[in-house]
Amino acid sequence: MPAKRTITVVGGGVIGLTTAYALIQAGHGVTLVERDDHVGEQASFGNGGQLSYRYVRPLADAGVPLEALSWMLRADSPISLKLRLDWHQWRWLTDFLRACNARTNRNNTARLLKLALRGQQALHQWRQEGLDDFLWRRPGKLVVYRNAHKFSKSAKAVSNPQQEQVLTPAECARVEPAFAGLAPALAGGIFSPDDEVADCYLFCQALLKSLQKSENFHLVKGAATLEDDGAGQCRVRINGTPQQTDVIVLAAGLASRAMAQPLGLNLPLYGLKGYSLTVEADPAVLPDVSVTDYDNRVVYARLGQRLRIAAMVDIGALDASLDPRRITSLKRLAEETLPAAGPYSSAATWAGMRPATPTGVPLVGRTQWRNLLLNVGHGALGFTLSGGSALTIQDLVEGMQS
Ligand SMILES: Cc1cc2nc3c(=O)[nH]c(=O)nc-3n(C[C@H](O)[C@H](O)[C@H](O)COP(=O)(O)OP(=O)(O)OC[C@H]3O[C@@H](n4cnc5c(N)ncnc54)[C@H](O)[C@@H]3O)c2cc1C
């Protein structure tokens, strides 16, 4: 069957691949451009693996600036800030501080929740269609709180007690016995039974494998650039060669900001560096439920026979290189919190840059160029929001005038 429209998707991370998948399923023709040799090897590679559909509160919230100041004094601080002589960093931080209030956080949480739940439905559908082999499970997610004030604030924000169950420390230990040793230090927890986990990199590979079965799909290795064609449209070039395409979807993660600059489009994206550890351990000691240690902002997810631990937000990092001090801190935190799954000394280590907007809400939508759509800025929740964002792009493509 001939494709309905031809679409060039720029970027082969989880966002570009899910976008391509949704468009192919809808009968469009897709060229996916990826500059690396393989897809899924940037921010989507070693992430926390949480499909955190219910728990989507953005980092920007009331009290976070003060809390962050107290963290700065800790060597194992969940957030580190390196100020630079860089107006983009200052502007991003100013917009972030502006979003740190309860009302903005509530509104943005509601927007993210809608996108996340749509993504959950999408993934359910795609799995029924045969998408597989990415270590998907639905064990639920438990967020544990050490600080009583933060726990009571989060418990009060629960809007659906079936989907977010407020638990005592003893109940937390029953839900996930691997963390029982932590119970005396806890104020309580919130359990979302429908939350899921999966390996984001394997998900990217599964998407690509499925896409390659379609004659309407083409993967092109190359560096894409964007320019204004002078007639209200955007033109994409791959390795310098202009492409014929009906629609362009920019989904190049953090690199999208530099790509949009020749158009005069100033995307508010900033790279927030994070780290992960992956350990092989005896399955009997691995947690089944995925757990977030809220006060330390560390997430634990079992992916098959391995445990993935992800954490930390470094603001002002220039690239995704591993910082040995942060890795040492993360190993120590994991050792203190879940000693049975260690030793962590031989853990595989990884760092990635979350492509973040100041508000935590991604930019998924139209631009002033009739043929250019954005699917960028998914920050700490790109895996979770990927399906919902892909379907939003599909809706926009289908709503475009031919
Ligand atoms: C430590 C850490 C833990 C995380 N944990 C979670 C989690 O538990 N759950 C969750 O939902 N999210 C999590 N995230 C967030 C999630 O990983 C990201 O939001 C997501 O991977 C972003 O995907 P992306 O496709 O936008 O970017 P990327 O994966 O970076 O993909 C962008 C792609 O575009 C390509 N590209 C760039 N420029 C060009 C060009 N000019 N031409 C062609 N191709 C180009 C790049 O090579 C890359 O492959 C975590 C992130 C980190 C760092």
Side-chain angles (χ1 to χ4, degrees):
M1 202 198 285
K4 292 197 269 186
R5 313 199 73 156
T6 60
I7 299 150
T8 300
V9 176
V10 180
V14 71
I15 299 300
L17 283 157
T18 45
T19 303
Y21 187 86
L23 293 170
I24 286 288
Q25 297 297 90
H28 300 287
V30 174
T31 298
L32 181 80
V33 197
E34 170 53 53
R35 69 178 174 190
D36 284 354
D37 288 341
H38 304 286
V39 299
E41 292 196 337
Q42 297 298 318
S44 307
F45 183 74
N47 72 19
Q50 288 190 330
L51 290 161
S52 183
Y53 296 118
R54 281 280 156 191
Y55 196 88
V56 289
R57 278 173 66 178
L59 181 61
D61 195 2
V64 166
L66 266 183
E67 196 181 6
L69 276 180
S70 69
W71 282 334
M72 298 299 160
L73 305 173
R74 281 171 48 182
D76 60 354
S77 164
I79 297 188
S80 87
L81 170 63
K82 187 168 204 162
L83 286 175
R84 296 191 176 275
L85 282 174
D86 169 10
W87 77 265
H88 174 54
Q89 184 195 48
W90 285 79
R91 171 122 194 242
W92 191 95
L93 283 170
T94 308
D95 290 345
F96 175 80
L97 290 174
R98 238 185 246 135
C100 284
N101 64 77
R103 196 162 64 93
T104 306
N105 182 276
R106 222 175 14 254
N107 291 342
N108 289 337
T109 303
R111 292 169 69 188
L112 291 169
L113 186 63
K114 222 165 136 190
L115 203 55
L117 294 180
R118 196 173 184 206
Q120 186 172 29
Q121 279 173 5
L123 187 59
H124 182 67
Q125 167 82 26
W126 296 350
R127 288 183 51 254
Q128 285 192 332
E129 288 163 7
L131 199 65
D132 202 359
D133 294 333
F134 51 95
L135 302 175
W136 176 91
R137 291 186 306 123
R138 184 178 288 158
K141 168 170 162 172
L142 175 65
V143 183
V144 294
Y145 295 82
R146 298 164 191 252
N147 178 294
H149 172 68
K150 286 179 204 154
F151 172 54
S152 109
K153 191 175 153 194
S154 293
K156 277 190 201 132
V158 165
S159 58
N160 183 337
Q162 287 300 315
Q163 297 297 337
E164 291 177 276
Q165 301 164 7
V166 178
L167 306 182
T168 63
E171 288 167 333
C172 291
R174 272 200 294 281
V175 164
E176 184 39 78
F179 280 78
L182 208 59
L186 296 182
I190 297 179
F191 180 53
S192 312
D194 284 345
D195 276 1
E196 303 167 5
V197 295
D199 185 313
C200 188
Y201 174 71
L202 294 183
F203 180 56
C204 290
Q205 303 309 316
L207 288 164
L208 180 63
K209 193 169 154 202
S210 172
L211 283 165
Q212 285 177 322
K213 290 183 190 150
S214 167
E215 60 184 18
N216 289 333
F217 175 77
H218 303 280
L219 175 67
V220 176
K221 178 183 156 30
T225 51
L226 301 178
E227 64 197 29
D228 190 323
D229 76 349
Q233 301 261 33
C234 177
R235 185 187 295 128
V236 59
R237 291 177 185 266
I238 304 178
N239 294 334
T241 307
Q243 307 295 306
Q244 287 294 330
T245 186
D246 295 330
V247 182
I248 303 162
V249 182
L250 180 57
L254 189 57
S256 304
R257 179 175 152 74
M259 287 191 68
Q261 269 170 344
L263 296 168
L265 197 57
N266 191 13
L267 299 179
L269 299 180
Y270 197 74
L272 302 181
K273 181 149 87 172
Y275 302 83
S276 75
L277 307 176
T278 307
V279 284
E280 306 265 353
D282 176 358
V285 303
L286 291 181
D288 185 46
V289 166
S290 104
V291 173
T292 296
D293 176 354
Y294 182 83
D295 302 71
N296 288 317
R297 302 293 204 278
V298 183
V299 307
Y300 298 81
R302 177 162 75 75
L303 304 175
Q305 305 291 307
R306 295 167 305 148
L307 180 67
R308 175 71 49 79
I309 302 160
M312 296 174 170
V313 174
D314 288 0
I315 308 174
L318 296 176
D319 56 38
S321 55
L322 285 168
D323 177 339
R325 287 165 311 167
R326 299 293 267 165
I327 290 292
T328 304
S329 296
L330 184 54
K331 285 182 177 171
R332 195 174 47 240
L333 266 174
E335 198 79 61
E336 284 165 11
T337 310
L338 196 58
Y344 294 90
S345 47
S346 55
T349 52
W350 175 80
M353 301 287 263
R354 303 172 183 91
T357 63
T359 58
V361 179
L363 306 170
V364 186
R366 293 194 183 86
T367 63
Q368 67 193 82
W369 292 269
R370 290 193 299 275
N371 62 338
L372 175 66
L373 300 175
L374 298 179
N375 197 2
V376 301
H378 294 75
L381 286 171
F383 192 14
T384 306
L385 301 177
S386 58
S389 304
L391 293 187
T392 306
I393 294 291
Q394 184 197 321
D395 292 346
L396 291 170
V397 166
E398 283 167 6
M400 280 173 154
Q401 309 274 331
S402 317

